[in-house]
Amino acid sequence: QVQLVESGGGLVQAGGSLRLSCAASGSIYSINDMGWYHQAPGKQRELVATITSIGNTNYADSVKGRFTISRDNAKNTVYLQMNSLKPEDTAVYYCYVAVIPITSWWSRAAYDYWGQGTQVTVSS
């Protein structure tokens, strides 16, 4: 089994910053992609940013230049540094991790795991 624990959400004024963390633990052989999605009330879950195992990143247009995704492979942790926050960034943020479990080391089959979500609220 694999567990993800998110932290770092909260309430911040527009223009402020927050840093989200998501730590994976359990029966992990290795981790492929990691990333963050968000879901605002009444809307679908949307991609925010992703990072590959070798550090290639991808961002939604709405956060380019403001958010930075990074990872610490030794700690199985992905981060999202959010700067210049806007009220429209208000959402529940979910991390996801593509894990190759120890039981799949021979096939390299990866499975997606999701964090529990952390609320980010940006006031105007």
Side-chain angles (χ1 to χ4, degrees):
Q1 287 290 346
V2 174
Q3 298 81 39
L4 300 184
V5 177
E6 296 185 33
S7 61
L11 172 64
V12 65
Q13 288 187 333
S17 299
L18 285 173
R19 188 190 194 211
L20 306 183
S21 300
C22 174
S25 63
S27 301
I28 298 171
Y29 176 73
S30 68
I31 295 177
N32 291 344
D33 291 0
M34 308 178 86
W36 293 91
Y37 282 68
H38 68 194
Q39 187 168 18
K43 295 187 177 181
Q44 292 186 333
R45 192 173 296 188
E46 298 177 335
L47 171 72
V48 176
T50 60
I51 184 168
T52 68
S53 58
I54 59 173
N56 293 326
T57 58
N58 179 54
Y59 295 92
D61 288 342
S62 60
V63 307
K64 284 180 180 177
R66 301 188 297 121
F67 291 10
T68 302
I69 189 171
S70 60
R71 62 190 284 172
D72 184 333
N73 291 330
K75 296 181 179 180
N76 291 336
T77 299
V78 61
Y79 305 96
L80 185 68
Q81 178 66 44
M82 305 184 293
N83 298 328
S84 302
L85 281 160
K86 303 176 180 180
E88 50 263 43
D89 296 319
T90 295
V92 178
Y93 284 70
Y94 298 91
C95 67
Y96 93 92
V97 178
V99 173
I100 300 175
I102 290 175
T103 52
S104 297
W105 67 268
W106 56 274
S107 67
R108 301 296 192 268
Y111 301 88
D112 289 348
Y113 291 86
W114 291 86
Q116 79 278 12
T118 185
Q119 177 70 44
V120 171
T121 302
V122 184
S123 63
S124 58

